[in-house]
């Protein structure tokens, strides 16, 4: 089986990665994500923010941490990326940010009160981090079988105070729009970085269109109205992601737990079957079936 230990480079197969995520899901229950607010995140990215990761999903993330290490801050608060700033758009000026904040607040008030059911998660290897179809994402679904009702149920859906506080901290950053303006204008997440200029990777997400049902359809209607308002006020500034690709990320799956660099591989060390040891002289393999994802391999 795969274990994190510095010093040995291993190649994790699809089966190994999926087994690890399935084990982390364990008896995690279907749950719900409750939309909270529309928001302009750092780098000029429009997102739908949820009130916090429910206990069921937070538990999965916690059990994956020993395998994949500290996660990026962007996946530590639950959100769905809706649009990114166009590559050619100029920086926002303060009155524009204030206008955009007003639109976000107004349309947030119209979001449906019903939470979005989460009945499962998916392991995705992608070429585009937007997970749009053009980036040929390879998806493997993992249902959450631990009980709950037909719409995801309420068991496992409670949100801890630490989760809520993390979200409040993020959203409070643009209470002072003048101080937030440089953060909104930071470079690094223009639309090309979500599409053709995106690095490849692997991630664990829940696709809202897959399990969201009528509740997600209701939210989509409000998101379309929000898009129309934003495009009317800021024509051409934002590029919107395809609706069927919209998702909430739990965490990346291509970061090894060990911060140490790989040591030279020992000669022909015995490895477990799903972890194929590769000679360092061979070309790196980046396919779905052989993604490097952790260090160390012992029977």
């Amino acid at each position: 089986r795969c274990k994190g230990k510095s010093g040995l480079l291993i190649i994790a197969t699809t089966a190994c990665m999926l087994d690890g995520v399935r084990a982390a899901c364990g008896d995690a229950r279907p749950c719900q994500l409750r939309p909270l607010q529309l928001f302009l995140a750092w780098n000029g990215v429009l997102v739908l923010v949820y009130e916090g990761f429910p206990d069921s999903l937070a538990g999965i993330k916690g059990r994956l941490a020993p395998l994949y290490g500290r996660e990026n801050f962007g996946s530590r608060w639950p959100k769905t990326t809706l649009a990114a700033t166009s590559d050619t758009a100029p920086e926002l000026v303060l009155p524009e940010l204030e206008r955009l904040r007003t639109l976000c607040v107004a349309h947030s008030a119209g979001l449906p009160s019903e939470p979005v059911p989460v009945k499962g998660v998916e392991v995705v290897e992608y070429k585009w981090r937007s997970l749009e179809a053009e980036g040929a994402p390879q998806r493997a679904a993992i249902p959450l079988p631990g009980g709950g009702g037909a719409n995801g149920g309420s068991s496992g859906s409670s949100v801890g105070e630490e989760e809520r506080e993390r979200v409040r901290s993020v959203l409070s950053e643009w209470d002072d729009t003048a101080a937030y303006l440089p953060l909104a204008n930071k470079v690094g997440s223009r639309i090309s970085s979500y599409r053709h200029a995106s690095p490849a990777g692997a991630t664990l997400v829940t696709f809202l269109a897959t399990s969201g049902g009528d509740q997600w359809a209701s939210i989509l209607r409000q998101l379309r109205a929000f898009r129309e308002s934003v495009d009317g006020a800021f024509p051409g500034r934002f590029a919107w992601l395809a609706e069927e690709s919209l998702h909430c990320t739990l965490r990346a799956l291509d970061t090894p737990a060990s911060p140490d660099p790989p040591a030279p591989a020992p000669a022909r060390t015995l490895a477990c079957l799903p972890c194929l040891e590769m000679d360092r002289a061979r070309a790196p393999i980046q396919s779905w079936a052989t993604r490097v994802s952790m260090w160390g391999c012992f029977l």
Side-chain angles (χ1 to χ4, degrees):
R1 63 192 176 92
C2 300
K3 297 178 65 176
K5 183 174 177 64
S6 177
L8 293 177
L9 175 62
I10 64 163
I11 308 299
T13 64
T14 303
C16 184
M17 181 182 289
L18 291 176
D19 283 349
V21 175
R22 288 192 184 103
C25 289
D27 60 354
R29 293 179 176 272
C31 55
Q32 299 168 334
L33 285 166
R34 188 173 295 278
L36 179 63
Q37 187 171 320
L38 294 157
F39 178 62
L40 184 73
W42 286 21
N43 310 101
V45 178
L46 286 169
V47 299
L48 171 63
V49 183
Y50 303 96
E51 67 177 3
F53 279 110
D55 292 345
S56 183
L57 300 184
I60 294 171
K61 287 160 61 72
R63 289 186 288 274
L64 286 171
L67 291 177
Y68 294 102
R70 185 178 179 85
E71 62 181 305
N72 297 325
F73 183 75
S75 64
R76 294 182 65 202
W77 49 288
K79 63 184 179 298
T80 294
T81 297
L82 305 174
T85 300
S86 299
D87 291 336
T88 57
E91 289 189 349
L92 286 166
V93 295
L94 186 57
E96 290 176 322
L97 177 59
E98 291 171 341
R99 172 61 175 152
L100 193 55
R101 187 177 187 278
T102 298
L103 288 175
C104 287
V105 171
H107 283 272
S108 295
L111 288 171
S113 58
E114 297 85 359
V116 181
V118 177
K119 303 173 187 176
V121 296
E122 296 193 39
V123 174
V124 186
E125 193 202 31
Y126 58 86
K127 295 178 182 178
W128 290 11
R129 66 183 175 122
S130 67
L131 307 190
E132 292 172 291
E134 293 85 344
Q138 300 184 60
R139 298 165 53 171
I142 301 175
L144 301 181
N151 290 324
S154 59
S155 195
S157 294
S158 62
V159 177
E161 182 56 32
E162 183 178 353
E163 289 289 330
R164 295 176 186 273
E165 178 55 35
R166 187 178 296 116
V167 169
R168 285 194 293 263
S169 176
V170 169
L171 295 177
S172 69
E173 288 188 345
W174 76 342
D175 290 346
D176 183 344
T177 51
Y180 193 69
L181 183 62
L183 302 177
N185 281 325
K186 284 175 68 72
V187 298
S189 288
R190 296 278 175 135
I191 189 58
S192 60
S193 74
Y194 283 88
R195 291 175 173 163
H196 61 273
S198 169
T203 187
L204 181 65
V205 308
T206 181
F207 283 97
L208 288 314
T210 300
S211 63
D214 292 341
Q215 291 92 328
W216 180 243
S218 179
I219 291 170
L220 270 181
R221 287 191 287 272
Q222 182 63 27
L223 295 181
R224 290 167 186 153
F226 174 62
R227 174 177 178 169
E228 183 176 349
S229 294
V230 170
D231 284 346
F234 303 94
R237 170 169 286 278
F238 294 100
W240 299 80
L241 304 188
E243 289 182 357
E244 63 271 14
S245 74
L246 299 181
H247 60 275
C248 177
T249 298
L250 274 69
R251 66 156 300 139
L253 295 177
D254 49 8
T255 304
S258 171
D260 300 331
R268 302 304 173 194
T269 301
L270 183 64
C272 62
L273 182 60
C275 301
L276 307 177
E277 182 185 7
M278 307 301 294
D279 191 320
R280 293 193 63 180
R282 297 172 66 178
I285 297 177
Q286 296 294 331
S287 72
W288 167 243
T290 54
R291 172 167 295 280
V292 177
S293 67
M294 47 193 134
W295 306 107
C297 180
F298 296 89
L299 291 178

